[in-house]
Amino acid sequence: MLGNFSYVNATKLYFGEDALQFLHEELPKYGKNVQLIYGGGSVKRNGIYDAVVEILRANGKNIVEDGGVMPNPTVEKLREGVKIARENHVDLLLAVGGGSCCDYAKAVSVSVNCDDDPWDKYFERFEEPECEIVPVGCVLTMAGTGSEMNGGSVITNHGKKLKVGHVFGENVMPKFSVLNPKFTMSLPKRQMVAGIYDIFNHICEQYFSGEDDSTSDYIAEGLMKSVIHSSLIALENPEDYEARSNIMWTATWALNTLIACGKTTDWMVHMLGQSVGAYTDATHGMTLAAVSLPYYRFIMPYGIAKFRRFATQVWNVDPAGKSDEAIAAEGLAAMESWMKKLGLAMNISELGATEDMIEGIADGTFILDGGYKVLTREEVVQVLKASL
Ligand code: NZQ
Ligand code: ZN
């Protein structure tokens, strides 16, 4: 049964090959000073930076440079971004990049007019912003996180060996996001597939929970089928516009808060993966891939009906003459062979995790209670060891 919920999504999207031109409609809504946020340089190599700068200039904006946002943005970089925003009285934070740039922009946005240290306030005490928020806009160059249409922001604190996400409210979501599938075509294959698995796992996190027969689960199955289908086309031909656009759109749907409406959600793969990320600084989607199968095989007996449904509806497993357990296991085996075909990381050792890190990674894993089984700390260790 669907629980009670309210739903709104505050982000305006512009999707398609010509989407960037819509910046001309959005920019006049904001003041003169625009903090131009980008990563390690991909946008300079593929021409997106120049295209954005040209539009900013045409709209009379004063550009405040803020490059060098690293994948898995750090708290030190966040504090630097806040300083830049304060010193330049910025009116708009424009993130041009993947989830890291967009997450970072949101974290800067809630911290500019706030005296507290952003880590302590948002990523340790999980407070809500009561200060004035600087608006965020996004030009997305990587499909995966859904950050372009949600309030999530994930920041890494290497000193504390923690990677922590805060889901802010609708006022912190990007005011607008530009989604041009062509912008994702310069992604290296490893990043493309990591993004694809991130999308798939966001759907799983919201699917593997509850005993219900909710509309959300039917939507989730459709999204999973779409991303599996398009991933195999993009793997063969990364320039296939239809596949890349389906992947980009599925990423947004997978985590724009819609499919979680009215149901409980799991998110334990993300909790495990994020803690692995805090220790290894590995690519987000790869950390998820590396812990997924050990985790799902562990919880499968507690949610057997849903795992059976996953097998038959998403992976077309023929149920005839088989036990529920056998059907469910076949579904996970099909998922495993798809993951291997994509070339995903299948264990945390290949991401640099070692046995002596396991206790620390377990300490950094938040244990949530929305899935089929609330793990004990010993079970977290068990899943992590099985992921080595
Ligand atoms: O830094 P540059 O040079 O731009 O290179 C980036 C980066 O190295 C590169 N890249 C991006 N677009 C490209 C490109 N290279 C060539 N061509 C392009 N068009 O890809 C690398 C990864 O980028 P990044 O932004 O780090 O990837 P992603 O979008 O996967 O974001 C990952 C971050 O988002 C967080 C993750 O934890 C991680 O910190 N997440 C945010 C979520 C949210 N807001 O809801 C949810 C997710 O579960 C996730 O936790
Ligand atoms: Zn994710």
Side-chain angles (χ1 to χ4, degrees):
M1 194 187 78
L2 279 181
N4 299 332
F5 64 86
S6 68
Y7 181 73
V8 67
N9 195 302
T11 304
K12 180 162 187 177
L13 293 182
Y14 297 98
F15 192 98
E17 284 183 69
D18 302 322
L20 193 64
Q21 291 311 311
F22 287 97
L23 273 186
H24 286 294
E25 281 185 19
E26 286 295 330
L27 291 174
K29 298 178 188 168
Y30 304 94
K32 201 173 169 56
N33 298 329
V34 178
Q35 187 159 333
L36 180 56
I37 292 167
Y38 55 95
S42 72
V43 293
K44 291 206 167 163
R45 290 188 295 276
N46 58 24
I48 299 171
Y49 174 89
D50 287 342
V52 170
V53 164
E54 194 184 317
I55 297 176
L56 286 168
R57 290 213 178 109
N59 283 273
K61 300 298 181 186
N62 174 32
I63 299 171
V64 178
E65 283 274 326
D66 184 9
V69 177
M70 61 293 284
N72 312 318
T74 62
V75 67
E76 289 79 15
K77 177 66 189 164
L78 167 58
R79 291 183 187 124
E80 187 188 305
V82 171
K83 191 161 172 273
I84 295 172
R86 283 180 186 157
E87 284 173 0
N88 294 281
H89 306 285
V90 304
D91 302 298
L92 174 69
L93 298 157
L94 185 62
V96 184
S100 292
C101 287
C102 196
D103 278 19
Y104 165 86
K106 289 178 224 171
V108 172
S109 138
V110 294
S111 307
V112 178
N113 297 308
C114 163
D115 293 333
D116 297 33
D117 179 73
W119 177 265
D120 297 347
K121 184 173 173 64
Y122 298 118
F123 300 94
E124 220 165 74
R125 299 199 302 269
F126 295 100
E127 290 173 11
E128 291 310 313
E130 60 281 316
C131 51
E132 195 190 329
I133 288 164
V134 181
V136 171
C138 170
V139 176
L140 195 66
T141 66
M142 151 127 192
T145 64
S147 186
E148 65 276 12
M149 205 182 192
N150 69 37
S153 174
V154 184
I155 298 296
T156 297
N157 187 326
H158 288 296
K160 297 198 169 183
K161 291 221 177 301
L162 287 173
K163 183 176 182 190
V164 179
H166 185 133
V167 181
F168 293 102
E170 66 194 71
N171 50 346
V172 184
M173 290 182 182
K175 299 291 174 236
F176 63 88
S177 285
V178 169
L179 275 61
N180 180 344
K182 284 205 163 160
F183 288 177
T184 67
M185 287 186 188
S186 55
L187 275 168
K189 185 183 152 222
R190 190 179 155 79
Q191 290 296 341
M192 178 186 83
V193 298
I196 287 169
Y197 190 72
D198 193 21
I199 301 167
F200 187 79
N201 190 256
H202 291 158
I203 309 168
C204 290
E205 299 276 31
Q206 297 162 94
Y207 181 75
F208 289 119
S209 58
E211 307 286 332
D212 44 11
D213 182 30
S214 78
T215 299
S216 295
D217 288 338
Y218 289 92
I219 301 172
E221 286 161 359
L223 293 174
M224 286 194 264
K225 286 192 216 177
S226 170
V227 78
I228 294 164
H229 174 75
S230 298
S231 70
L232 296 172
I233 297 171
L235 194 64
E236 283 299 307
N237 179 13
E239 308 269 302
D240 188 299
Y241 182 79
E242 187 169 31
R244 299 307 287 260
S245 55
N246 284 333
I247 291 167
M248 195 170 210
W249 192 213
T250 311
T252 306
W253 274 71
L255 198 50
N256 70 356
T257 68
L258 181 71
I259 63 169
C261 284
K263 30 175 345 223
T264 55
T265 51
D266 184 348
W267 294 106
M268 273 314 295
V269 167
H270 271 67
M271 295 304 103
L272 290 157
Q274 276 176 208
S275 194
V276 169
Y279 274 74
T280 60
D281 206 25
T283 299
H284 172 65
M286 292 301 187
T287 65
L288 306 177
V291 300
S292 281
L293 285 160
Y295 174 70
Y296 288 132
R297 288 188 169 126
F298 184 80
I299 61 155
M300 193 182 83
Y302 304 92
I304 194 71
K306 186 59 76 63
F307 280 94
R308 182 192 193 282
R309 176 172 163 169
F310 177 66
T312 58
Q313 300 306 307
V314 179
W315 298 102
N316 301 319
V317 171
D318 178 3
K322 297 171 196 158
S323 67
D324 288 351
E325 286 71 20
I327 298 163
E330 224 179 284
L332 289 180
M335 173 173 152
E336 181 170 7
S337 65
W338 170 68
M339 291 170 75
K340 286 183 173 159
K341 205 177 282 175
L342 291 186
L344 293 163
M346 299 306 286
N347 58 65
I348 60 176
S349 306
E350 53 182 293
L351 301 176
T354 47
E355 182 133 28
D356 59 315
M357 293 178 186
I358 294 292
E359 292 294 327
I361 296 174
D363 286 340
T365 302
F366 289 74
I367 297 177
L368 305 178
D369 61 4
Y372 287 121
K373 164 91 177 77
V374 182
L375 298 187
T376 62
R377 189 182 177 284
E378 292 67 45
E379 288 166 343
V380 169
V381 169
Q382 198 181 320
V383 170
L384 287 168
K385 283 191 173 159
S387 308
L388 270 170

